Amino acid sequence: MTHGHDHSQDHHHSHSHDEHAPDHHHHSESEGQAALFGALIVTAIFMLVEVIGGYFANSLALISDGAHMLTDIGALCLSLFAGWLARRPSDHTMSYGYQRAEILGALISGLLIWLIVGLLGYEAVDRFYNPHEVKGGWVLGIAVVGLAANLISMRMLHRHQGERLNIRAAYLHLIADALGSVGAVVAGALILWTGKAWIDPLITFLFAGLMLYGSWGLVKESVSVLMESVPSWVDFKKVQADLQGLTGISQVHDLHIWAMSSRQAALSVHLVSGRPARELLVAAQALLREKHGITHSTIQVEHPEDTADCAEC
């Protein structure tokens, strides 16, 4: 057996991520989906309460909180759809499967928040210059109900938010929304107490800023995955050094590490070594799996004399 550039012999794919615990994995996935669905129902009911109440109370803070709940509904629907799509098996057109759907979903969700922030900011500026009379008592009562709804939905998603980027996206929407409800409660109380209508757009501004701040990390992480950058949880230099430190390795080149989804990294590398290929592959895969949590690797082993005509070496 030669260990040159014969890809058919030397490319070795490990799919050990499928072997570990598929049952547990799918169980938490379906629990996550069920939690998303529950949060969606609760949020939809209370969004209607807030928007209708905001209309009658003439409060932008309430309407903005309701509008933000609408983005939550969008985010939750997107998360449900992306979660369903990400579980579809790979096929001849999508060889990696559909896992990136959740990343796209999280990105769209983050950008949606930005759009709504722009609209609310515009409306709030208008209200500063042309104050509207606001019914503080209504605002206070409805905002308290909205806050309760957010807390119920957040409770449903809390333990699943570390599992997938798109569940985290939905969770972030709910946190920002809970802050919006707190803002509406404060606005209602202050308007009741002082009778000043400009408090309403001021609170709206404050929460538009919080919505922007909350979604920035989400958009950044989604773009990072789509740009094939090295995942934040993997140390590229450390992986390179560890591979270089394997017995009999004379060179490590063409090392690429990228994220396939928000929790799964893939790697490809060329290792130059005089050591038997099978032995080296087993050692390299064990190292990547146990030390760096990378279970999806493509490794090409080359003999030192075969690298003379290799441009990348």
Side-chain angles (χ1 to χ4, degrees), residues 2 6 44 68 82 93 127 184 223 241 267 277 295:
T2 63
D6 182 353
H68 193 217
T93 56
R127 285 207 172 199
V223 170
L267 170 148
T295 52

Side-chain angles (χ1 to χ4, degrees), residues 121-141:
Y122 178 77
E123 179 65 21
V125 169
D126 178 59
R127 285 207 172 199
F128 254 123
Y129 292 108
N130 311 300
H132 296 226
E133 214 234 309
V134 182
K135 299 185 178 73
W138 273 76
V139 177
L140 187 59

Side-chain angles (χ1 to χ4, degrees), residues 175-196:
I175 287 179
D177 204 19
L179 288 171
S181 297
V182 170
V185 169
V186 172
L190 286 175
I191 290 164
L192 263 183
W193 184 42
T194 65
K196 302 263 189 273

Side-chain angles (χ1 to χ4, degrees), residues 36-255:
L36 280 170
F37 190 70
L40 175 67
I41 300 297
V42 173
T43 308
I45 293 168
F46 285 99
M47 181 208 72
L48 287 172
V49 172
E50 282 214 308
V51 172
I52 295 166
Y55 176 76
F56 283 114
N58 197 15
S59 164
L60 185 64
L62 263 193
I63 291 173
S64 69
D65 199 30
H68 193 217
M69 276 196 164
L70 183 60
T71 69
D72 293 349
I73 291 172
L76 290 163
C77 287
L78 217 50
S79 292
L80 275 168
F81 176 67
W84 167 78
L85 196 59
R87 292 216 300 273
R88 286 184 57 188
S90 52
D91 53 40
H92 63 283
T93 56
M94 293 282 191
S95 62
Y96 272 123
Y98 291 82
Q99 299 175 52
R100 286 273 171 95
E102 57 147 333
I103 308 295
L104 271 176
L107 177 64
I108 293 167
S109 181
L111 293 175
L112 257 178
I113 295 184
W114 291 7
L115 176 70
I116 284 188
V117 164
L119 293 172
L120 289 176
Y122 178 77
E123 179 65 21
V125 169
D126 178 59
R127 285 207 172 199
F128 254 123
Y129 292 108
N130 311 300
H132 296 226
E133 214 234 309
V134 182
K135 299 185 178 73
W138 273 76
V139 177
L140 187 59
I142 293 166
V144 168
V145 172
L147 181 60
N150 282 128
L151 296 175
I152 293 167
S153 301
M154 279 165 65
R155 177 96 187 76
M156 288 176 177
L157 292 188
H158 180 70
R159 77 193 181 81
H160 300 285
Q161 53 121 359
E163 292 167 16
R164 297 208 312 260
L165 191 62
N166 68 322
I167 292 187
R168 202 180 102 214
Y171 189 71
L172 273 177
H173 270 271
L174 290 170
I175 287 179
D177 204 19
L179 288 171
S181 297
V182 170
V185 169
V186 172
L190 286 175
I191 290 164
L192 263 183
W193 184 42
T194 65
K196 302 263 189 273
W198 56 261
I199 289 167
D200 193 58
L202 180 71
I203 297 284
T204 305
F205 268 134
L206 194 60
F207 290 102
L210 280 169
M211 282 157 77
L212 270 184
Y213 177 74
S215 56
W216 170 247
L218 183 72
V219 171
K220 190 167 148 250
E221 195 174 334
S222 308
V223 170
S224 168
V225 173
L226 296 174
M227 290 296 290
E228 304 280 4
S229 42
V230 176
S232 54
W233 67 90
V234 177
D235 183 337
F236 185 90
K237 287 188 171 150
K238 188 105 183 59
V239 173
Q240 197 170 26
D242 287 347
L243 286 170
Q244 191 76 58
L246 285 169
T247 314
I249 294 278
S250 60
Q251 204 180 33
V252 173
H253 66 92
D254 278 316
L255 173 62

Side-chain angles (χ1 to χ4, degrees), residues 236-287:
F236 185 90
K237 287 188 171 150
K238 188 105 183 59
V239 173
Q240 197 170 26
D242 287 347
L243 286 170
Q244 191 76 58
L246 285 169
T247 314
I249 294 278
S250 60
Q251 204 180 33
V252 173
H253 66 92
D254 278 316
L255 173 62
H256 301 286
I257 308 171
W258 66 100
M260 288 161 66
S261 69
S262 58
R263 47 151 192 245
Q264 199 175 36
L267 170 148
S268 70
V269 67
H270 291 210
L271 302 177
V272 182
S273 172
R275 204 173 155 187
R278 174 145 285 301
E279 198 183 294
L280 182 60
L281 286 171
V282 170
Q285 278 161 357
L287 166 88

